[in-house]
Amino acid sequence: MSGGFRTTGGVAHAPSRFVRGLILGVVGLVFVVPFVAMVEFTLRRGLVGGYDLHRWTELFQGGLTGEYKPVLVALGNSVGLALGTVAIILLLLVPTMLLVHIRFRRLRRALEIICILPISIPAIVLVVGLAPVFSVVARLVGSGVWTLAFAYGITVLPFAYRAIQANLDGVDVRTLSEAARTLGAGWGSVLLRVLVPNLRRGILAGAFIAVAVVLGEFTIASLLNRVNLQTALVVVSKNDPYTAVILSLIALLVAFALLMAIGRLGAPRRSRTRRAVTASPPQTATPTLTPTGDRP
């Protein structure tokens, strides 16, 4: 063992169990320490000293109504925007990437440049360019919060593209599509029943990133005068920072639950397969009798 990695014949393998546990522990602390600090902050009794739950009980006694009710509305807006952004990624980006990869490979470099370009543009510059577009959209279909999904789709595009492309490079989609077409499948069946299941890991990774970016986005919504979770929390924090932190904790739990729900989309098929394999009885060879002639 050298440097925590197992080696066999000069070839480095996966890190040892101790190294994996150490890495996971450090990463866990990065997430747990701020979360614990937020909880401790909400339980403080100020200059009096000590801890209690009076801020939590006061917040939930009214059922998050009154002055804090807009936060629930903003949370619903952010969840809806996250789902809309994921839908845009799935309905536009994935079929386009597959089409370019199968039929128009010469356009792959151009598509990559277009998809990566938004990451090099600051959010405030992006808003300046999107403001005239949103003014036209507002005149045609209204100025609802849902229109932010188009802007978020552009913002998430580089991250979702790289996640899906990394999975796409490891799958021979051309051979799979040609084999399915040879067997008589239509392009819809090829896309939904052959290619998308093989790209499930990349698509789910893109969905994870899209949800995380949308739930934490503030600049675009603020400059375009839309209400989402982050803009509502900023308004609350100006009046009561403790309540803002409590609501932030609730938002983190909701985001975590949403991400877990997305992550479970790929689990049922594996569990069904595992149960089917476990439940199936072992196959035993059936003896075959062949005539060998009369024995004395």
Side-chain angles (χ1 to χ4, degrees), residues 125-147:
V125 177
L126 190 63
V127 171
V128 172
L130 290 175
V133 178
F134 271 83
S135 64
V136 177
V137 172
R139 289 196 299 268
L140 295 177
V141 296
S143 58
V145 180
W146 63 270
T147 56

Side-chain angles (χ1 to χ4, degrees), residues 77-78 81-82 84-85 88-89 126 130 134 145 147-158 210 213-222 226-228 231:
N77 293 340
S78 293
L81 287 171
T85 304
I88 291 174
I89 295 298
L126 190 63
L130 290 175
F134 271 83
V145 180
T147 56
L148 276 180
F150 299 109
Y152 289 160
I154 298 174
T155 304
V156 175
L157 192 60
V213 171
V214 171
L215 293 181
E217 203 285 322
F218 170 79
T219 305
I220 296 177
S222 177
R226 303 296 196 276
V227 178
N228 67 353
T231 57

Side-chain angles (χ1 to χ4, degrees), residues 211-277:
V211 171
V213 171
V214 171
L215 293 181
E217 203 285 322
F218 170 79
T219 305
I220 296 177
S222 177
L223 295 177
L224 291 178
N225 295 322
R226 303 296 196 276
V227 178
N228 67 353
L229 178 61
Q230 299 303 320
T231 57
L233 289 178
V234 169
V235 174
V236 173
S237 65
K238 294 179 180 179
N239 299 325
D240 189 351
Y242 295 101
T243 302
V245 174
I246 293 175
L247 295 174
S248 298
L249 288 171
I250 297 173
L252 287 174
L253 294 177
V254 172
F256 180 76
L258 184 59
L259 292 176
M260 290 296 294
I262 295 175
R264 291 294 297 173
L265 292 178
R269 176 174 297 182
R270 291 194 296 270
S271 61
R272 287 198 301 267
T273 303
R274 189 180 298 111
R275 286 196 299 267
V277 172

Side-chain angles (χ1 to χ4, degrees), residues 94-223:
V94 175
T96 302
M97 293 179 64
L98 290 173
L99 182 63
V100 170
H101 200 85
I102 296 173
R103 289 293 186 89
F104 306 103
R105 297 185 68 88
R106 294 182 179 180
L107 299 177
R108 179 177 174 179
R109 182 62 61 184
L111 178 64
E112 181 177 2
I113 294 174
I114 293 173
C115 292
I116 298 298
L117 186 61
I119 199 174
S120 62
I121 303 175
I124 189 169
V125 177
L126 190 63
V127 171
V128 172
L130 290 175
V133 178
F134 271 83
S135 64
V136 177
V137 172
R139 289 196 299 268
L140 295 177
V141 296
S143 58
V145 180
W146 63 270
T147 56
L148 276 180
F150 299 109
Y152 289 160
I154 298 174
T155 304
V156 175
L157 192 60
F159 310 103
Y161 174 82
R162 293 310 306 168
I164 299 173
Q165 185 63 43
N167 194 180
L168 191 60
D169 290 337
V171 178
D172 192 355
V173 295
R174 175 176 290 185
T175 301
L176 290 175
S177 60
E178 290 178 354
R181 292 286 293 169
T182 302
L183 295 175
W187 281 112
S189 298
V190 171
L191 177 64
L192 297 178
R193 302 180 63 182
V194 178
L195 299 181
V196 169
N198 283 279
L199 299 176
R200 181 172 60 248
R201 182 174 299 178
I203 292 174
L204 289 178
F208 280 147
I209 297 173
V211 171
V213 171
V214 171
L215 293 181
E217 203 285 322
F218 170 79
T219 305
I220 296 177
S222 177
L223 295 177

